[in-house]
Amino acid sequence: MDILKKNTRIVEETTLGIYVWEMPDGRWIGDDDGNFLSITSIKGNRSRIDALAREVSSFGIYEGGPKFLSGRRKIDDEEFEHQKQRLNWGLVPDPYDIGNYKDEMKKQGGLR
């Protein structure tokens, strides 16, 4: 059973991430291979959001809107395979994971 607390909000770890285009039914625009149309951005960067919207409209899609995914980044298939191998080794899959990076900096005394 889910318990919702009043005055609860999600705190993002970073304002860096990607925007994807989300359709009204919650699906993201992408190809048949699971590659989603996305753009790297700082949250709220209007020029990057507009660039994504122009690209989506070039495919004849005029519904839905941008969805920001905090702390995410684009990777290619080779890097995806490398991350799977790191996971198998018991390591953090993405060496650039923002949460892991912050934890490592705290251990070294660089963040408080």
Side-chain angles (χ1 to χ4, degrees):
M1 176 169 69
D2 291 335
I3 298 173
L4 298 175
K5 295 182 180 180
K6 290 185 178 181
N7 301 324
T8 301
R9 67 183 179 115
I10 296 172
V11 177
E12 296 175 347
E13 290 185 277
T14 180
T15 58
L16 301 174
I18 62 171
Y19 277 99
V20 295
W21 197 263
E22 187 171 75
M23 298 301 288
D25 64 2
R27 290 179 300 132
W28 298 345
I29 298 296
D31 63 19
D32 293 335
D33 294 328
N35 300 306
F36 298 104
L37 179 63
S38 62
I39 191 165
T40 303
S41 181
I42 295 173
K43 187 174 185 176
N45 184 319
R46 180 50 51 194
S47 65
R48 301 296 280 173
I49 294 168
D50 290 346
L52 179 61
R54 282 191 304 275
E55 187 65 24
V56 169
S57 66
S58 76
F59 293 110
I61 299 169
Y62 301 100
E63 57 186 350
K67 177 177 178 74
F68 185 71
L69 304 174
S70 176
R72 310 256 182 107
R73 65 186 186 90
K74 296 171 72 156
I75 61 171
D76 59 22
D77 292 339
E78 183 178 336
E79 188 167 357
F80 177 70
E81 292 301 321
H82 179 68
Q83 287 185 12
K84 287 192 330 187
Q85 185 63 52
R86 286 179 56 89
L87 180 63
N88 290 336
W89 292 337
L91 300 172
V92 173
D94 186 356
Y96 300 109
D97 177 85
I98 190 69
N100 184 62
Y101 175 77
K102 286 182 174 182
D103 290 344
E104 291 297 321
M105 291 298 292
K106 284 179 185 176
K107 286 180 191 174
Q108 295 175 16
L111 274 179
R112 298 174 194 224

